[in-house]
Amino acid sequence: MGIIAKRCGKITIKGYEFDIELNEPLDRPEGGKVHIQNDNMRIEMSQKEFYKMVITFRYAKQKLYSYKKL
């Protein structure tokens, strides 16, 4: 657990709200630690892993919209 460097926002998944936080230290090659959490659970990953996850989700959304012609 590090010091919170930035609260990045909130996300709602199937009715559950999660906070997204970036934690220090940020000077490592993989960046800081990102916590996606609420009162019941927490997911922790490196900043680099978080960016990969976001890119993958955005690509999947784009492909789904392309297939559905939305």
Side-chain angles (χ1 to χ4, degrees), residues 29-40:
E30 67 275 2
K33 293 289 183 190
V34 175
H35 294 158
I36 302 172
Q37 63 188 13
N38 66 13
D39 292 337
N40 298 315

Side-chain angles (χ1 to χ4, degrees), residues 23-52:
N23 290 266
E24 294 182 349
L26 304 175
D27 56 355
R28 290 179 270 171
E30 67 275 2
K33 293 289 183 190
V34 175
H35 294 158
I36 302 172
Q37 63 188 13
N38 66 13
D39 292 337
N40 298 315
M41 65 171 276
R42 182 176 84 167
I43 301 168
E44 181 178 309
M45 63 190 76
S46 72
Q47 195 173 356
K48 187 174 181 180
E49 291 171 323
F50 178 73
Y51 291 150
K52 285 181 181 179

Side-chain angles (χ1 to χ4, degrees), residues 6 8 10 20 25-26 34 40-41 43 46 53 59 68:
K6 183 177 181 181
C8 300
K10 295 181 182 278
I20 302 173
L26 304 175
V34 175
N40 298 315
M41 65 171 276
I43 301 168
S46 72
M53 182 182 74
Y59 179 73
K68 298 281 186 174

